[in-house]
mmCIF file of all heavy atoms in Angstrom:
data_model
loop_
_atom_site.group_PDB
_atom_site.id
_atom_site.type_symbol
_atom_site.label_atom_id
_atom_site.label_comp_id
_atom_site.label_asym_id
_atom_site.label_seq_id
_atom_site.Cartn_x
_atom_site.Cartn_y
_atom_site.Cartn_z
ATOM 1 N N LYS O 133 -8.108 17.036 34.670
ATOM 2 C CA LYS O 133 -9.084 17.715 33.825
ATOM 3 C C LYS O 133 -9.167 19.195 34.143
ATOM 4 O O LYS O 133 -9.280 20.025 33.224
ATOM 5 C CB LYS O 133 -10.453 17.050 34.028
ATOM 6 C CG LYS O 133 -11.578 17.751 33.241
ATOM 7 C CD LYS O 133 -12.935 17.159 33.574
ATOM 8 C CE LYS O 133 -14.056 17.919 32.870
ATOM 9 N NZ LYS O 133 -15.411 17.402 33.239
ATOM 10 N N ALA O 134 -9.074 19.540 35.440
ATOM 11 C CA ALA O 134 -9.213 20.944 35.838
ATOM 12 C C ALA O 134 -7.947 21.746 35.658
ATOM 13 O O ALA O 134 -7.991 22.985 35.651
ATOM 14 C CB ALA O 134 -9.641 20.998 37.311
ATOM 15 N N ASP O 135 -6.820 21.067 35.470
ATOM 16 C CA ASP O 135 -5.531 21.757 35.411
ATOM 17 C C ASP O 135 -4.879 21.514 34.066
ATOM 18 O O ASP O 135 -4.130 20.568 33.888
ATOM 19 C CB ASP O 135 -4.649 21.247 36.539
ATOM 20 C CG ASP O 135 -3.296 21.968 36.658
ATOM 21 O OD1 ASP O 135 -3.092 22.915 35.839
ATOM 22 O OD2 ASP O 135 -2.476 21.587 37.465
ATOM 23 N N SER O 136 -5.145 22.378 33.083
ATOM 24 C CA SER O 136 -4.590 22.211 31.766
ATOM 25 C C SER O 136 -3.046 22.335 31.797
ATOM 26 O O SER O 136 -2.339 21.609 31.063
ATOM 27 C CB SER O 136 -5.163 23.232 30.774
ATOM 28 O OG SER O 136 -4.889 24.562 31.211
ATOM 29 N N GLY O 137 -2.523 23.228 32.634
ATOM 30 C CA GLY O 137 -1.075 23.343 32.754
ATOM 31 C C GLY O 137 -0.465 22.089 33.331
ATOM 32 O O GLY O 137 0.619 21.633 32.885
ATOM 33 N N GLY O 138 -1.173 21.463 34.270
ATOM 34 C CA GLY O 138 -0.698 20.201 34.828
ATOM 35 C C GLY O 138 -0.684 19.088 33.807
ATOM 36 O O GLY O 138 0.228 18.277 33.786
ATOM 37 N N ARG O 139 -1.706 19.079 32.954
ATOM 38 C CA ARG O 139 -1.732 18.086 31.886
ATOM 39 C C ARG O 139 -0.494 18.237 30.967
ATOM 40 O O ARG O 139 0.120 17.254 30.569
ATOM 41 C CB ARG O 139 -2.994 18.165 31.058
ATOM 42 C CG ARG O 139 -4.218 17.631 31.737
ATOM 43 C CD ARG O 139 -5.326 17.253 30.765
ATOM 44 N NE ARG O 139 -5.628 18.338 29.831
ATOM 45 C CZ ARG O 139 -6.474 19.332 30.103
ATOM 46 N NH1 ARG O 139 -7.045 19.391 31.274
ATOM 47 N NH2 ARG O 139 -6.727 20.261 29.189
ATOM 48 N N ARG O 140 -0.191 19.456 30.620
ATOM 49 C CA ARG O 140 0.973 19.686 29.745
ATOM 50 C C ARG O 140 2.266 19.214 30.395
ATOM 51 O O ARG O 140 3.142 18.644 29.753
ATOM 52 C CB ARG O 140 1.043 21.178 29.354
ATOM 53 C CG ARG O 140 -0.013 21.610 28.370
ATOM 54 C CD ARG O 140 0.322 22.958 27.772
ATOM 55 N NE ARG O 140 0.340 24.011 28.790
ATOM 56 C CZ ARG O 140 -0.754 24.702 29.151
ATOM 57 N NH1 ARG O 140 -1.937 24.452 28.613
ATOM 58 N NH2 ARG O 140 -0.643 25.656 30.066
ATOM 59 N N ARG O 141 2.381 19.470 31.697
ATOM 60 C CA ARG O 141 3.610 19.055 32.394
ATOM 61 C C ARG O 141 3.635 17.517 32.519
ATOM 62 O O ARG O 141 4.713 16.919 32.415
ATOM 63 C CB ARG O 141 3.686 19.724 33.765
ATOM 64 C CG ARG O 141 4.019 21.207 33.682
ATOM 65 C CD ARG O 141 4.231 21.802 35.046
ATOM 66 N NE ARG O 141 2.987 21.972 35.801
ATOM 67 C CZ ARG O 141 2.185 23.037 35.688
ATOM 68 N NH1 ARG O 141 2.495 24.027 34.860
ATOM 69 N NH2 ARG O 141 1.082 23.114 36.401
ATOM 70 N N ALA O 142 2.478 16.917 32.773
ATOM 71 C CA ALA O 142 2.439 15.453 32.843
ATOM 72 C C ALA O 142 2.771 14.851 31.468
ATOM 73 O O ALA O 142 3.455 13.823 31.381
ATOM 74 C CB ALA O 142 1.062 14.973 33.317
ATOM 75 N N GLU O 143 2.256 15.465 30.404
ATOM 76 C CA GLU O 143 2.547 14.967 29.048
ATOM 77 C C GLU O 143 4.045 15.029 28.773
ATOM 78 O O GLU O 143 4.630 14.110 28.232
ATOM 79 C CB GLU O 143 1.818 15.835 28.026
ATOM 80 C CG GLU O 143 0.311 15.674 28.054
ATOM 81 C CD GLU O 143 -0.386 16.805 27.282
ATOM 82 O OE1 GLU O 143 0.282 17.397 26.378
ATOM 83 O OE2 GLU O 143 -1.552 17.104 27.583
ATOM 84 N N ALA O 144 4.666 16.153 29.131
ATOM 85 C CA ALA O 144 6.093 16.308 28.879
ATOM 86 C C ALA O 144 6.912 15.288 29.675
ATOM 87 O O ALA O 144 7.875 14.689 29.167
ATOM 88 C CB ALA O 144 6.551 17.724 29.239
ATOM 89 N N ALA O 145 6.505 15.050 30.911
ATOM 90 C CA ALA O 145 7.228 14.079 31.748
ATOM 91 C C ALA O 145 7.073 12.679 31.182
ATOM 92 O O ALA O 145 8.061 11.915 31.138
ATOM 93 C CB ALA O 145 6.690 14.127 33.174
ATOM 94 N N LEU O 146 5.891 12.337 30.724
ATOM 95 C CA LEU O 146 5.663 11.006 30.139
ATOM 96 C C LEU O 146 6.447 10.838 28.851
ATOM 97 O O LEU O 146 7.053 9.794 28.589
ATOM 98 C CB LEU O 146 4.185 10.793 29.899
ATOM 99 C CG LEU O 146 3.808 9.458 29.217
ATOM 100 C CD1 LEU O 146 4.242 8.267 30.080
ATOM 101 C CD2 LEU O 146 2.312 9.405 28.950
#
Side-chain angles (χ1 to χ4, degrees):
K133 178 186 175 183
D135 184 3
S136 59
R139 285 201 309 277
R140 287 193 296 273
R141 287 186 287 274
E143 292 164 25
L146 177 61

